[in-house]
Amino acid sequence: MSTTARSTRPAARGLFLLGPAFVAAIAYVDPGNVAANLTGGARYGYLLVWVLVVANLMAGLVQYQSAKLGLVSGRTLPELLGDRLKPTARRLFWVQAELVAAATDLAEVIGGAIALNLLFGLPLFVGGLIVGAVSTGLLALQSRYGQRPFETVIIGLLAIIAIGFLAGLFITPPDGFAVLDGLIPRFDGTGSVLLSASMLGATVMPHAIYVHSALARDRHGHSATPEARRLILRTTRLDVIVALGIAGIVNIGMLLLAAVNLRNIDGTDTISGAHAAIGASLGPGIALVFSIGLLASGLASTSVGTYAGATIMAGLLKRRIPVFLRRLITLVPAVALLAAGIDPTAALVVSQVFLSFGIPFALVPLLRLTNDPNVMAEQVNRRPMRLALSLIVVLVVALNFALIGLTVWG
């Protein structure tokens, strides 16, 4: 056997182990991100680049902690919470987690419906039904053939998303100095704070925090020895860095695309208006690619969202319902809003603000459990990690309180 063959096999095995973080990363490039990021770039130019950078760094750290919790404990985050909460508290916690998952699904179905409308002129109501049907098929693939084929499909959709949302930057690149200036933390009035909370809610996703512990555990199993845990955690770190790195580049790319091409253009506060402006500025080809990316985003993210909802229910209520029934239940609110004629882009942005309120309910338990040596053994968080995670929780909660004050008192 040649040295080259021997040296490539570990790398090939390492690549084969990648995947769970890519599924979780889909939550970070869903249609809610599209609405929030395009709106941020169109209204404020490069001003909020720093929000996405900080949010993505936070997301990577949090997602790794969730995966580590599942791998080391052999339990999902909802399962561990279900074991520790009293019955009433457990049910209440489940209600808020399910409402957050429902808000997520709302954004994803609406985004997919908008994409089908842009591509084929389908009514939003019909598009929502098609997105629901296709996402059910993706979930059936996971149920029948296991997690690996599902991961492969999701990774393929992530590639389409990246191409769809970044292609325009190759036609009109952003101003490098303006991008650097956008890394300086600051706001510009109440609207920018509200939009930052929306972008944060779209980037640090509560349901992705819950589900990643299940994805990692189900894919790799529970490593019983410290040596085995260290080995799989190294691969998991790489998985998170690559997957969340791609998601972060896509998010920032969307904001830059809007900052370059949609600034001060009327009508770009909606996805349809932004699509039209992109077509006018960059040509119909780029607009078509953008629409395809949006459709892939809706299909992939709604499948992952439904998967997360099932994980939450199984862990907190110890119950499972058929995937088809769950898909039907979560599809109803989105289709009803589309049928009622609600402004879809506004619904997307509001859903992301709502999601930001669910983040502390996922982050605080994750912090406490990963700081507990009885749960994490030798992989318990060290002091620097505890401080970093605590800072994330404080920042998120503070931003949410500021959002409440600005919304109520203007």
Side-chain angles (χ1 to χ4, degrees), residues 158-174:
L158 179 60
I160 295 172
I161 293 166
I163 294 170
F165 293 146
L166 298 179
L169 292 178
F170 292 95
I171 305 299
T172 55

Side-chain angles (χ1 to χ4, degrees), residues 31-32 35-36 102-108 110-111 114 198 269-271 333-334 337-338 341-355:
T104 303
D105 200 54
L106 172 70
E108 293 154 353
I110 289 177
I114 293 173
S198 179
D269 53 347
T270 68
I271 290 180
L337 286 175
L338 291 173
I342 300 295
D343 178 15
T345 302
L348 286 176
V349 174
V350 171
S351 73
Q352 301 311 299
V353 175
F354 181 80
L355 288 179

Side-chain angles (χ1 to χ4, degrees), residues 83-369:
D83 292 342
R84 285 160 172 76
L85 293 174
K86 294 181 179 180
T88 300
R90 178 163 49 84
R91 294 187 186 97
L92 290 174
F93 195 95
W94 171 74
V95 168
Q96 68 80 26
E98 287 287 3
L99 287 175
V100 168
T104 303
D105 200 54
L106 172 70
E108 293 154 353
V109 173
I110 289 177
I114 293 173
L116 288 171
N117 175 262
L118 296 174
L119 287 167
F120 306 110
L122 294 177
L124 293 176
F125 172 76
V126 175
L129 293 176
I130 293 174
V131 170
V134 175
S135 63
T136 301
L138 291 175
L139 290 166
L141 172 71
Q142 191 275 335
S143 298
R144 181 168 183 177
Y145 297 105
Q147 188 168 325
R148 184 61 184 173
F150 179 67
E151 289 175 357
T152 301
V153 173
I154 293 298
I155 290 172
L157 289 172
L158 179 60
I160 295 172
I161 293 166
I163 294 170
F165 293 146
L166 298 179
L169 292 178
F170 292 95
I171 305 299
T172 55
D175 182 337
F177 290 106
V179 174
L180 292 176
D181 184 63
L183 295 175
I184 301 173
R186 62 196 188 279
F187 295 107
D188 182 16
T190 301
S192 64
V193 177
L194 179 64
L195 192 55
S196 295
S198 179
M199 292 163 68
L200 178 66
T203 307
V204 182
M205 301 291 278
H207 75 286
I209 298 173
Y210 294 121
V211 78
H212 202 168
S213 57
L215 291 166
R217 190 273 313 270
D218 294 345
R219 178 69 142 75
H220 301 301
H222 174 225
S223 301
T225 65
E227 293 77 13
R229 284 195 287 266
R230 283 193 291 270
L231 177 62
I232 200 64
L233 285 173
R234 281 200 296 269
T235 300
T236 299
R237 277 193 292 271
L238 177 61
D239 194 25
V240 171
I241 290 170
V242 174
L244 271 295
I246 293 172
I249 290 171
V250 171
N251 277 320
I252 295 171
M254 282 189 280
L255 185 141
L256 296 180
L257 180 71
V260 174
N261 298 285
L262 309 182
R263 189 83 166 103
N264 299 321
I265 297 178
D266 293 336
T268 55
D269 53 347
T270 68
I271 290 180
S272 298
H275 171 267
I278 289 171
S281 300
L282 303 175
I286 295 298
L288 175 64
V289 173
F290 176 87
S291 300
I292 293 172
L294 178 63
L295 178 60
S297 170
L299 292 174
S301 55
T302 192
S303 302
V304 175
T306 304
Y307 187 108
T311 299
I312 292 166
M313 175 177 279
L316 290 169
L317 297 188
K318 314 297 182 187
R319 294 179 182 176
R320 294 182 182 273
I321 61 175
V323 169
F324 176 79
L325 178 59
R326 181 172 194 90
R327 172 70 281 184
L328 181 63
I329 293 171
T330 56
L331 185 63
V332 168
V335 173
L337 286 175
L338 291 173
I342 300 295
D343 178 15
T345 302
L348 286 176
V349 174
V350 171
S351 73
Q352 301 311 299
V353 175
F354 181 80
L355 288 179
S356 69
F357 292 98
I359 297 172
F361 291 99
L363 280 180
V364 173
L366 180 67
L367 174 64
R368 295 192 63 178
L369 288 168

